[in-house]
Amino acid sequence: MTFLLQKHYAIHRTQVRDSLRSFASGVALTGRLAAACLLLAGFLGVGSATAQAPPTILRLGGGDVALKLDDLTTDATNDYLDIHHYVIGTGDPVNNPSGIPQGGGAAVNTSFLIGGLALVAVDDVDNHKLTISPLATGRFKIALSPDGEAALTKGDDMTNVGQPHEFVIVSANAPMLTMKTGDDSYNQQAKDDRMDITLTPRDDTTFPAFDIIGLFTDPDDVTLTYSAKADTVGRGKADGSDGEAIVTATISSDNKLMISLTDKAKAQDSTDVWLTATDPSGEYARKRYYISTGSPTNPYVKEGLDDVMIREDAANTDIAAIMLAGTADDPAFADEALTAAGTSLDPDTGMDQGDGLRALEIRVAIGDKDATRVAGATDADFTWVTSYMNAEVEGNGGEAPTMTIDPRAAGEVTFTVTATDRGPACPAEDSEGNAYITIKKDNTAQTDLTATGDDAAVKCYAEANSDTTVDADETMDLYKDSKTATTMFKVTIVSKTTPSVTTDAITLKALDSEKGAMGAMTINLEDLNGADSGEPMAFNKHGQSLSYAVTLAKEKTKVGDQEIETDVAIASVEGSMVTVTPIWRAGDITV
């Protein structure tokens, strides 16, 4: 067992690391049975696995439901799916009700009853469609297979043919989705009804809350209660048992539905949110929201800046410049190949053509309203003067500005760093195909975005002809697609009497893990090498008497089948003497 005590004091630390982020897509359900069960559930996408598809709701008097089963098999030897069995409640399964011969062939029964609950018609022309007609309220399940005779159930659980799909038939007095057409086509409309919503991790994570009153109606005009549930997304297992919640769906007290991505969401994931309206008798109707996730495009904070602590008597040679670049990145730059030289706009993309990728503009703001800004040699160079520090900024608004702190007295301030992707200066063209150009203040066209003064580009204009005189009323702002990412860090100036760390390190201390040789470790923070002289010390006192405290990090250990964080040692302090005593457990190896 080894314990490591390390002194650490840094005026500033900047880490710039490449960020490799892969967006794993949602796991697509494979196999004919899974695909068919999804279709029966009314699913139109296959981006995500769920533990069990919600039941399909059919309404008495709501007409038939047609279910297409073609193009769902990946097995070249089977070009259609059969009904393997149906089951009502806890009864025995009725296998191969359509009478398909083993190995395939024409169905013996082109239609059959599921008890007294529903009539199922099989389209035997190409066996690619089922039509279900509800007859009475109740529940039943249907399971599909490439062969209605092969691999029949090995037990009542029917586990060898996958998860049967459940159908619920509700009465004509149950709640229903608000539809514009008559009841005779209600069930087909309800099966196909869905609202598509696209959310994007980091960029656009929440769909605006919307009122759910009016989405449902009830023939009895009763008060409905609402609930919302989001399906999980499987990450590898076919049954979705490893599913993660990529969205949350909540209903507010004023009956508004809010759908938001969680931190588990990945680009190209997809799932469903089900909004259910239930009447006092327990019958219900449901609306489907299909949630898909896109790939983030906005700039983002890649590596936040560390807080900085500086002594008021620190020498200028000890103060490093704070590097503001590298705090943010922008995925929009990754695939953007700008190879043309010069500064003119690319007519195809509307982007500034340069010798490389576009770069983020980095700007820093001080959180002290009383700070005085003193101009430097350029607009990008200046100094904030306060009672406790001077903060000198160089290159503000460029790709890699820096800031240097000159301490004056004890105090602290928070700085805000904003990284901006200005986006294309102008769109490539308008809705009518007219190419956009940039115009100057005098409404004449030009393309040099580096021009200043009266020649600076100030607007975008969709040019309809070769005339360079443009109408200012037909313009839009430059860089209308600008997006930003923001982070903050704190600079603290501590007094000259504040303790400081010496240059003498506390060395690695090891304890023998052999039985009989285990014991405590002691360190004298005012006499690290054990000499009577009391040197070296861990801290400079600066004329003050010091008291000490030690914190030991918890370590992860297995308890049963769970990994938990727990103490592995006890630290005690007496004067300047620190004693660390390990907590020994059978089989533990830790640091």
Side-chain angles (χ1 to χ4, degrees):
M1 178 177 288
T2 303
F3 293 96
L4 177 63
L5 280 76
Q6 179 182 355
K7 297 184 303 172
H8 176 73
Y9 179 79
I11 291 176
H12 178 66
R13 177 169 60 90
T14 300
Q15 294 175 317
V16 179
R17 295 195 296 262
D18 291 335
S19 178
L20 300 177
R21 305 183 322 280
S22 64
F23 297 109
S25 63
V27 178
L29 285 177
T30 58
R32 293 175 292 277
L33 174 63
C37 288
L38 277 179
L39 184 70
L40 287 170
F43 277 63
L44 300 181
V46 294
S48 308
T50 57
Q52 183 176 356
T56 294
I57 302 171
L58 301 178
R59 181 183 182 83
L60 280 181
D64 301 337
V65 169
L67 302 170
K68 293 182 179 180
L69 303 181
D70 57 338
D71 299 328
L72 294 180
T73 178
T74 58
D75 186 346
T77 63
N78 292 289
D79 61 354
Y80 55 79
L81 292 165
D82 300 327
I83 293 182
H84 191 280
H85 63 262
Y86 69 79
V87 61
I88 300 174
T90 59
D92 294 330
V94 177
N95 295 316
N96 191 18
S98 56
I100 300 294
Q102 187 170 1
V108 174
N109 304 316
T110 56
S111 65
F112 57 88
L113 287 170
I114 297 182
L117 298 181
L119 175 66
V120 178
V122 181
D123 181 352
D124 196 38
V125 175
D126 55 5
N127 203 28
H128 284 178
K129 185 173 70 173
L130 301 178
T131 300
I132 298 178
S133 304
L135 302 176
T137 60
R139 294 171 178 263
F140 60 90
K141 294 180 180 179
I142 291 179
L144 301 176
S145 171
D147 194 323
E149 282 286 340
L152 295 180
T153 58
K154 298 176 182 178
D156 290 342
D157 59 355
M158 300 164 287
T159 53
N160 66 317
V161 293
Q163 180 68 53
H165 182 72
E166 184 173 25
F167 291 82
V168 177
I169 302 177
V170 297
S171 74
N173 294 319
M176 61 187 299
L177 289 165
T178 303
M179 296 290 185
K180 295 182 179 179
T181 57
D183 277 353
D184 57 345
S185 62
Y186 174 81
N187 285 332
Q188 188 68 41
Q189 293 182 71
K191 182 187 76 70
D192 296 335
D193 177 78
R194 81 175 191 182
M195 177 179 178
D196 291 353
I197 296 174
T198 300
L199 298 175
T200 307
R202 192 182 66 241
D203 293 0
D204 186 15
T205 60
T206 299
F207 191 77
F210 55 94
D211 196 342
I212 61 179
I213 300 298
L215 298 178
F216 300 91
T217 186
D218 189 275
D220 299 328
D221 292 326
V222 297
T223 300
L224 301 176
T225 58
Y226 302 97
S227 62
K229 181 181 181 297
D231 289 340
T232 58
V233 172
R235 295 306 189 196
K237 294 185 178 180
D239 63 356
S241 59
D242 58 347
E244 294 180 328
I246 69 162
V247 299
T248 60
T250 58
I251 298 175
S252 62
S253 59
D254 59 348
N255 289 316
K256 292 185 182 296
L257 177 63
M258 173 75 77
I259 300 174
S260 300
L261 293 181
T262 72
D263 58 1
K264 300 296 185 182
K266 302 175 182 179
Q268 311 312 316
D269 273 347
S270 61
T271 192
D272 288 288
V273 168
W274 301 93
L275 175 64
T276 302
T278 306
D279 68 13
S281 66
E283 291 192 307
Y284 56 91
R286 188 179 56 231
K287 186 172 181 64
R288 177 189 177 198
Y289 297 90
Y290 180 72
I291 314 300
S292 57
T293 60
S295 299
T297 57
N298 289 355
Y300 64 98
V301 176
K302 181 177 70 173
E303 189 71 39
L305 290 165
D306 292 332
D307 291 341
V308 178
M309 183 178 291
I310 303 174
R311 296 176 59 83
E312 66 173 314
D313 58 349
N316 288 338
T317 55
D318 296 330
I319 302 175
I322 300 172
M323 312 298 294
L324 303 182
T327 61
D329 200 356
D330 193 332
F333 298 163
D335 300 321
E336 187 179 300
L338 301 179
T339 57
T343 57
S344 61
L345 291 181
D346 185 326
D348 295 327
T349 66
M351 294 181 179
D352 188 340
Q353 296 173 329
D355 295 328
L357 304 183
R358 286 185 294 144
L360 289 169
E361 294 181 352
I362 310 296
R363 296 182 181 275
V364 59
I366 193 170
D368 184 347
K369 61 182 178 59
D370 296 323
T372 301
R373 180 175 174 134
V374 178
T378 67
D379 291 340
D381 302 331
F382 56 86
T383 299
W384 281 303
V385 178
T386 72
S387 60
Y388 45 88
M389 72 173 75
N390 293 340
E392 181 181 353
V393 179
E394 294 181 299
N396 194 52
E399 298 178 32
T402 62
M403 186 170 68
T404 305
I405 304 298
D406 178 15
R408 303 176 67 183
E412 71 177 26
V413 67
T414 297
F415 291 93
T416 299
V417 179
T418 300
T420 302
D421 174 6
R422 299 188 74 183
C426 298
E429 59 185 28
D430 66 6
S431 60
E432 298 179 358
N434 296 316
Y436 272 101
I437 61 173
T438 56
I439 59 173
K440 296 183 291 186
K441 294 177 182 179
D442 62 358
N443 286 355
T444 59
Q446 55 85 231
T447 57
D448 185 1
L449 292 181
T450 64
T452 59
D454 290 339
D455 291 332
V458 293
K459 292 284 184 182
C460 297
Y461 171 70
E463 187 179 35
N465 51 56
S466 59
D467 188 355
T468 57
T469 301
V470 297
D471 183 352
D473 292 336
E474 299 181 30
T475 63
M476 66 172 61
D477 291 335
L478 287 173
Y479 306 108
K480 63 184 296 289
D481 296 323
S482 293
K483 295 179 175 63
T484 63
T486 301
T487 187
M488 294 184 293
F489 69 98
K490 184 185 298 181
V491 174
T492 303
I493 311 299
V494 298
S495 70
K496 63 183 66 176
T497 59
T498 300
S500 60
V501 180
T502 67
T503 58
D504 298 292
I506 299 174
T507 58
L508 184 71
K509 306 294 183 181
L511 295 174
D512 194 339
S513 61
E514 293 296 326
K515 271 192 173 182
M518 302 179 295
M521 171 186 70
T522 302
I523 300 172
N524 187 350
L525 296 178
E526 295 188 0
D527 188 3
L528 292 179
N529 61 6
D532 292 338
S533 62
E535 294 290 347
M537 300 173 65
F539 300 92
N540 292 315
K541 296 185 176 182
H542 297 286
Q544 309 293 311
S545 60
L546 303 181
S547 59
Y548 301 94
V550 174
T551 300
L552 293 179
K554 294 178 182 292
E555 295 289 340
K556 289 185 177 179
T557 188
K558 277 248 181 179
V559 176
D561 60 350
Q562 290 188 329
E563 192 174 64
I564 65 172
E565 286 193 340
T566 184
D567 293 317
V568 295
I570 299 172
S572 62
V573 181
E574 185 174 349
S576 63
M577 303 295 293
V578 176
T579 301
V580 180
T581 305
I583 301 173
W584 296 100
R585 299 181 183 87
D588 270 5
I589 300 174
T590 188
V591 174

